[in-house]
Amino acid sequence: MKRSLAAILGAAVAIPLVLSGCSGDDDDSASGPITLSLAGWSFATTPEFKTLADGFHATHPDVTVELKEYDAANYDTQMIADLAAGKAPDIYAQKTLKNFYTYQNGKQLLDVSDVAQGLGDKVGGMANYQVDGKTYAIPYRQDSWVLYYNKTLFEKAGLPTPDGTWTWDDYAATSKALATKLKASKAFGDYEHIWQSTVQGFALAQSQGASIESANFSYLAPYYTRAVDLQNAGAQVKFGDATTNNLTYQAQFGKQQAAMMLMGSWFIATLLKQQAGGDADKFDWGIAPAPQLTKATTGKSATPVTFGDPTGLGINPKLAKNKVEAAKAFLSYAAGADGAKALAGIGITPADTDAVKDTFFQLQGVPQDELTKWTFATHDTKPENPPGKYTAALQNILGDLHTAIMSGSKPVDAAITEAQDRAKNEVLNK
């Protein structure tokens, strides 16, 4: 369903917090101050968790939210282990939709249907966390992938900046031209991070009828052929170099090593913070829609198709009974208008964007050009990881496909054929 960011969510209704305790054992029915633990990752560059914890405490002074940091690259692996060992925090983020089924089917998420009902029916991404009519997590963010571009480097190269009408062919041609024009500056035309989503997310979202559960991955071929060609042409860093040198997308764009980069809207907050603190160079930048498969979804009269999983919050069902109401109140705050304003204040795209339409573009450093504003507000965002029983296993196979192709160890067609055979034999037909 097509939708704009500005139309995803209406005003949320907060669940009142009553710290009166719950029935049960004496240890579980205490009143007074409560401390909740919240899981997150990369706190130095991902300020949203502290922002939500501090904001909630300001409105609920009897509740303190303590943060527990996990490794971003291994978040789900570590979280699954902690849940199994009974050491997981009270509230934990659903970093992507890839492992939602694993958590929900393993009974590691509390039913929070009452929170969802209180927030209403306009929360972006809520349906992805619903199973058999019940809701098991609440989205507080709805990111979408966009094209970041360095206006300063484009001007230096003497090339026109994106205008919202680009197809992938336009993007590839511009990247190659930028690399040639900026050779003396040692800047690439674009930076493609090592994640499989940088190729597969767009392919799945933009290809008619594509489905990972079909075990027909032929829709990936043109996207990978283009990505490999850009590497071979010297327009972007090679996958092997990016992996070996542990390159970060923040530094590649922030330090002007690349003129363009496809990345999620969460990077706006990081770039603002790094430019203000000196960790990124000062330069003019903007965002444009992600390149499209055809011209049919380009231009101001169309809705560009992109991808992005919501980021949700779930509650550990093993938390103490006297903390349940407080934990649910935190979810309601994070996904509601107050949480949305707090997130927008640091450049994060919240689930409730109706509450922050004006706030976001008042932030110091946010580009004010019309294309950036239009891109932020208008796109058809489809999930990177459509929730399902086989999603995690199939995405693991597709991750191997990505590495094989981008590293040059297998040709595109051979890697796709192998992945299809593995999907059928190892996952779907077991």
Side-chain angles (χ1 to χ4, degrees):
M1 180 178 67
K2 292 184 176 181
R3 58 184 177 172
S4 69
L5 273 179
I8 292 174
L9 260 184
V13 179
I15 293 177
L17 175 60
V18 181
L19 301 178
S20 58
C22 301
S23 60
D25 297 337
D26 291 342
D27 290 342
D28 289 333
S29 59
S31 60
I34 286 177
T35 297
L36 296 171
S37 53
L38 169 65
W41 56 85
S42 304
F43 292 158
T45 57
T46 311
E48 66 204 62
F49 301 106
K50 186 176 188 305
T51 296
L52 289 174
D54 291 347
F56 182 71
H57 181 66
T59 57
H60 299 78
D62 285 340
V63 185
T64 299
V65 180
E66 294 183 345
L67 304 181
K68 181 175 181 179
E69 187 170 17
Y70 286 78
D71 176 59
N74 299 293
Y75 175 82
D76 286 302
T77 300
Q78 294 174 354
M79 182 58 63
I80 290 169
D82 276 3
L83 285 165
K87 300 188 299 182
D90 300 320
I91 303 169
Y92 64 105
Q94 300 292 295
K95 195 169 186 287
T96 69
L97 290 174
K98 177 180 176 180
N99 290 292
F100 169 68
Y101 177 87
T102 300
Y103 293 122
Q104 189 277 328
N105 190 59
K107 303 186 185 306
Q108 302 286 15
L109 288 167
L110 192 71
D111 179 357
V112 290
S113 299
D114 50 349
V115 178
Q117 184 177 3
L119 289 165
D121 60 359
K122 297 181 180 180
V123 176
M126 185 77 79
N128 292 300
Y129 298 118
Q130 294 173 341
V131 179
D132 296 332
K134 296 181 180 180
T135 304
Y136 291 92
I138 303 295
Y140 67 96
R141 277 173 50 176
Q142 176 59 69
D143 290 295
S144 300
W145 278 59
V146 297
L147 175 62
Y148 293 81
Y149 64 99
N150 184 320
K151 296 180 181 180
T152 303
L153 288 179
F154 266 85
E155 183 177 355
K156 187 173 184 179
L159 294 173
T161 56
D163 61 4
T165 68
W166 283 11
T167 63
W168 287 104
D169 288 341
D170 298 319
Y171 171 78
T174 302
S175 181
K176 292 176 182 178
L178 283 164
T180 300
K181 298 281 188 179
L182 298 172
K183 192 171 184 179
S185 302
K186 298 183 179 179
F188 288 90
D190 75 274
Y191 176 70
E192 181 168 287
H193 199 43
I194 61 174
W195 301 332
Q196 69 193 81
S197 54
T198 60
V199 181
Q200 295 177 13
F202 293 111
L204 181 62
Q206 295 177 349
S207 302
Q208 187 71 27
S211 167
I212 62 172
E213 291 196 356
S214 70
N216 179 358
F217 305 140
S218 60
Y219 64 91
L220 295 171
Y223 288 82
Y224 273 110
T225 299
R226 181 171 42 249
V228 171
D229 177 62
L230 284 170
Q231 280 193 164
N232 292 339
Q236 62 183 217
V237 174
K238 287 186 176 293
F239 179 86
D241 293 338
T243 304
T244 301
N245 296 316
N246 295 314
L247 298 184
T248 68
Y249 66 85
Q250 297 94 330
Q252 290 301 297
F253 190 78
K255 289 296 185 179
Q256 303 191 82
Q257 301 300 299
M260 299 187 296
M261 184 176 71
L262 290 157
M263 190 53 60
S265 51
W266 67 81
F267 180 56
I268 294 174
T270 300
L271 185 55
L272 292 176
K273 181 179 179 181
Q274 292 188 333
Q275 284 193 321
D279 293 324
D281 296 344
K282 294 288 182 68
F283 57 88
D284 290 331
W285 59 278
I287 61 173
Q292 299 294 293
L293 184 60
T294 71
K295 285 288 186 182
T297 51
T298 67
K300 293 294 182 69
S301 61
T303 304
V305 178
T306 187
F307 76 96
D309 283 352
T311 307
L313 292 171
I315 298 175
N316 183 348
K318 293 184 180 179
L319 86 167
K321 291 181 181 179
N322 70 303
K323 294 184 177 183
V324 171
E325 291 179 20
K328 287 184 175 182
F330 179 80
L331 267 59
S332 182
Y333 165 82
D338 289 341
K341 291 175 183 177
L343 292 171
I346 58 171
I348 292 292
T349 307
D352 185 353
T353 53
D354 271 1
V356 301
K357 285 185 290 186
D358 298 325
T359 305
F360 193 87
F361 284 94
Q362 293 174 359
L363 294 175
Q364 185 175 358
V366 173
Q368 298 298 310
D369 62 276
E370 288 304 312
L371 182 60
T372 292
K373 292 181 178 180
W374 184 79
T375 301
F376 180 83
T378 311
H379 36 69
D380 179 10
T381 302
K382 298 183 179 180
E384 174 188 351
N385 295 283
K389 179 179 180 179
Y390 304 112
T391 297
L394 291 171
Q395 289 288 36
N396 289 338
I397 291 173
L398 288 170
D400 292 340
L401 173 152
H402 179 75
T403 300
I405 293 175
M406 297 304 290
S407 66
S409 65
K410 285 189 175 69
V412 172
D413 290 342
I416 288 175
T417 298
E418 180 181 291
Q420 290 177 161
D421 291 342
R422 287 186 60 195
K424 294 171 186 175
N425 296 327
E426 298 176 17
V427 180
L428 300 176
N429 294 335
K430 287 186 68 175

